[in-house]
Amino acid sequence: MRESVIYQSIKAEGREEGSDKKARKIAINLLAKRISLDVIARVTGLSVEVVQQLQQE
């Protein structure tokens, strides 16, 4: 069965959101271990700014 372009787009967006959630969860765990912001950003692919925001939450 061929998937429509819209369905493929929605599916890709869902994967991206899930990947972002996972990266944020990993970042929170690394922050708890007192890993540096730069290392967390490199490992997770998140920006340093996003990691800083997570640290403040």
Side-chain angles (χ1 to χ4, degrees), residues 34-47:
R34 303 208 185 277
I35 306 295
S36 77
L37 299 179
D38 290 337
V39 171
I40 295 172
R42 267 187 273 133
V43 168
T44 62
L46 299 170
S47 68

Side-chain angles (χ1 to χ4, degrees), residues 4-54:
S4 71
V5 174
I6 294 171
Y7 178 75
Q8 289 174 355
S9 174
I10 291 169
K11 206 166 135 180
E13 186 178 320
R15 278 194 298 268
E16 190 175 307
E17 285 179 23
S19 179
D20 184 59
K21 270 186 167 178
K22 180 99 175 171
R24 288 171 182 265
K25 188 171 186 174
I26 291 168
I28 290 168
N29 290 334
L30 292 172
L31 284 167
K33 299 288 185 189
R34 303 208 185 277
I35 306 295
S36 77
L37 299 179
D38 290 337
V39 171
I40 295 172
R42 267 187 273 133
V43 168
T44 62
L46 299 170
S47 68
V48 174
E49 292 80 17
V50 170
V51 177
Q52 287 173 330
Q53 288 174 352
L54 292 172

